Amino acid sequence: MRTLLVLLAGGGLLAGSLQTALANGWNMPVGVTELSGEIYSLHMIIFWICVAIGVVVFGVMFYSLFRFRRSKGAKAANFHENTLVEVIWTAIPLLILVGMAVPATATLKKMYDASDADLDVMIIGQQWRWRYDYLGEGVAMTSNLATPRTQIRGDEPIDASANYLLEVDEPLVLPVGQKVRFLFTSDDVIHSWWVPELAIKQDTVPGFINENWVRIDEPGIYRGQCAELCGVDHAFMPIVVRAVEEEEFEAWLASRREAAEEEAMGIDREWQMSELMERGEQVYGSVCVSCHQQEGTGNPPAFPALAGNEQLLSDADWHTSTVINGVSGAAMPAFRNTLNPVEIAAVVTYTRNAWGNDTGDSVQPSEVAERLSD
Amino acid sequence: MWGVIKSVLAAFFGVQKEGQRRQDFEQGRPVPFLVAGVLMALVLVGLVALVAVLASR
Ligand SMILES: [Cu+2]
């Protein structure tokens, strides 16, 4: 009897310390959607069922080991079967499993029901950034890591105030209270879009479209990571979701749409060298730098240098088409769908004139647009 | 016939009386058990599918 009490006390202690650990950030988050809360409760129910089973099974086992030890003269019972006991110990786990499966299935059904969404957003994984396309809204964007390469490489001290490796230049902006359907795919390899607070971890697979949805309850910033090893910069494609009130979202969407239209009109005009260089530096810094490096030195032989690159300097045509079409079979991506004509013209102009590449020639957005249309 | 079904059910559940097992092995022929096993596996699949259909309505 005393042993049993000791065991029960031990079990209680274990449960208590687990409770403390869980309350101190070791657990999955409750999240900010109705479904994430439901998934959390499900997880906790099943967790406590497992704890109870563990305490009972190990309690009985250790009690028996101790109480009926040989030094106290215990004799083993040598009976063979007991059908009733066997039926009971088969039926109990069966009932427990069914009892867990019923609520789990109910939640799964809700997770899979992406119908009647108010807004559709396409999420595209790409080495090594995310692209978001608000389908039917005329707004799309690329979300790059905001931490400068110089800080990552240690050439410059880390800015402690700036969420090292967690911040992006363009967060995914979503309205609260609305059902948003996500369509996931990838341009290259498998990535996984994971935001714990939204209870979403969905693979993005090239050639396939996966679905999921959220209805966020609270405005706020929710962070995530790529959760599928996808290449050298896998750790450098964080996710930031900014959930805002509906009116703020509509205003944001409208301003983005306007900016996109303005940019589209800018394609036809003649751009100044200085404008192209300024824009190009921006594009290079967010898109190309991970492979071709800050000073255009690349990382030969895998990633060629652009600074002082003979072929690049002598052939603007080839240079432009390499950026538009990429290099098939190599890691150089095609930028025809990711960058707009202004951005492509700017980055080509920039790479032809930065770091001692003094060709002095520029490529106009209109020329790029023409190439993109054939 | 009923005895065969009962034995196959016991096998599905995973618990069988030793006496019954001995009797099946000494007096039964294998073919009825095989046939009943395959048919009842199909019935089980049908039941699971039915539950899935009902649950997803
Ligand atoms: Cu990735």
Side-chain angles (χ1 to χ4, degrees), chain A residues 143-159:
Chain A
S143 179
N144 288 287
L145 176 68
T147 306
R149 292 277 144 184
T150 45
Q151 289 184 18
I152 298 173
R153 276 206 314 267
D155 300 346
E156 200 187 298
I158 290 168
D159 178 359

Side-chain angles (χ1 to χ4, degrees), chain A residues 266-271 341 345 363-371:
Chain A
I267 291 172
D268 295 328
R269 74 176 170 85
E270 183 83 10
W271 283 59
V363 175
Q364 287 297 321
S366 52
E367 297 169 45
V368 174
E370 208 166 290
R371 273 170 186 259

Side-chain angles (χ1 to χ4, degrees), chain A residues 80-81 83 86-88 90-91 94 105 109, chain B residues 13-19 54-57:
Chain A
H80 179 257
E81 58 169 328
T83 313
E86 287 174 33
V87 166
I88 289 172
T90 310
L94 185 75
T105 309
K109 267 180 66 182
Chain B
F13 190 70
V15 177
Q16 174 66 297
K17 285 201 195 73
E18 175 63 15
L54 289 180
S56 63
R57 273 212 309 212

Side-chain angles (χ1 to χ4, degrees), chain A residues 191 226 228 230 234 237:
Chain A
H191 302 266
C226 177
E228 184 68 59
C230 59
H234 166 61
M237 49 186 295

Side-chain angles (χ1 to χ4, degrees), chain A residues 9-340:
Chain A
L13 208 66
L14 178 72
S17 45
L18 278 174
Q19 182 81 69
T20 321
L22 295 181
N24 284 293
W26 288 35
N27 200 1
M28 67 184 286
V30 180
V32 290
T33 72
E34 190 191 322
L35 264 181
S36 70
E38 215 170 283
I39 292 169
Y40 174 83
S41 316
L42 202 57
H43 165 257
M44 289 320 290
I45 291 170
I46 291 174
F47 173 77
W48 286 118
I49 291 176
C50 294
V51 170
I53 294 172
V55 168
V56 169
V57 169
F58 285 100
V60 170
M61 193 177 96
F62 286 125
Y63 172 74
S64 311
L65 282 173
F66 183 74
R67 175 73 204 281
F68 302 105
R69 57 195 189 277
R70 197 160 71 163
S71 59
K72 290 279 181 201
K75 283 265 177 303
N78 269 320
F79 67 91
H80 179 257
E81 58 169 328
N82 185 331
T83 313
L84 180 66
V85 171
E86 287 174 33
V87 166
I88 289 172
W89 81 39
T90 310
I92 290 175
L94 185 75
L95 292 178
I96 294 174
L97 284 178
V98 172
M100 297 197 297
V102 169
T105 309
T107 302
L108 265 183
K109 267 180 66 182
K110 288 189 207 164
M111 288 167 64
Y112 278 97
D113 180 16
S115 59
D116 297 326
D118 303 310
L119 175 71
D120 285 337
V121 179
M122 186 107 187
I123 296 179
I124 303 143
Q126 196 188 50
Q127 284 171 323
W128 290 278
R129 62 190 58 81
W130 297 97
R131 292 201 286 124
Y132 302 119
D133 191 348
Y134 293 77
L135 297 178
E137 304 288 349
V139 175
M141 64 210 194
T142 305
S143 179
N144 288 287
L145 176 68
T147 306
R149 292 277 144 184
T150 45
Q151 289 184 18
I152 298 173
R153 276 206 314 267
D155 300 346
E156 200 187 298
I158 290 168
D159 178 359
S161 64
N163 283 320
Y164 182 69
L165 295 187
L166 295 179
E167 212 62 78
V168 298
D169 55 356
E170 290 275 11
L172 175 64
V173 180
L174 295 176
V176 297
Q178 293 214 357
K179 184 164 183 176
V180 182
R181 180 167 66 141
F182 295 137
L183 300 165
F184 298 89
T185 191
S186 167
D187 277 345
D188 34 51
V189 300
I190 302 178
H191 302 266
S192 185
W193 198 82
W194 179 35
V195 182
E197 297 281 352
L198 305 184
I200 292 189
K201 184 196 256 175
Q202 186 81 58
D203 278 10
T204 70
V205 185
F208 288 80
I209 292 186
N210 286 328
E211 243 184 17
N212 211 321
W213 65 275
V214 283
R215 180 183 277 118
I216 302 176
D217 292 334
E218 288 168 43
I221 302 277
Y222 307 114
R223 295 181 191 279
Q225 295 285 346
C226 177
E228 184 68 59
L229 194 56
C230 59
V232 284
D233 278 3
H234 166 61
F236 299 157
M237 49 186 295
I239 298 160
V240 180
V241 174
R242 191 160 73 85
V244 298
E245 298 292 349
E246 206 183 323
E247 307 87 72
E248 190 181 342
F249 175 75
E250 291 301 337
W252 175 85
L253 202 60
S255 77
R256 280 313 169 96
R257 200 180 295 129
E258 220 166 88
E261 279 161 13
E262 215 165 273
E263 181 106 320
M265 302 214 308
I267 291 172
D268 295 328
R269 74 176 170 85
E270 183 83 10
W271 283 59
Q272 300 292 319
M273 188 71 175
S274 57
E275 289 178 288
L276 288 170
M277 286 297 283
E278 191 182 324
R279 188 63 191 275
E281 186 170 5
Q282 250 175 25
V283 175
Y284 187 87
S286 63
V287 183
C288 322
V289 71
S290 56
C291 296
H292 293 292
Q293 306 302 324
Q294 200 75 38
E295 297 300 319
T297 50
N299 212 341
F303 302 105
L306 300 183
N309 184 316
E310 291 300 333
Q311 191 171 7
L312 177 149
L313 291 173
S314 62
D315 193 346
D317 236 31
W318 169 83
H319 183 177
T320 313
S321 75
T322 302
V323 176
I324 292 177
N325 299 315
V327 179
S328 67
M332 173 68 191
F335 287 100
R336 57 165 57 244
N337 297 321
T338 337
L339 297 179
N340 66 36

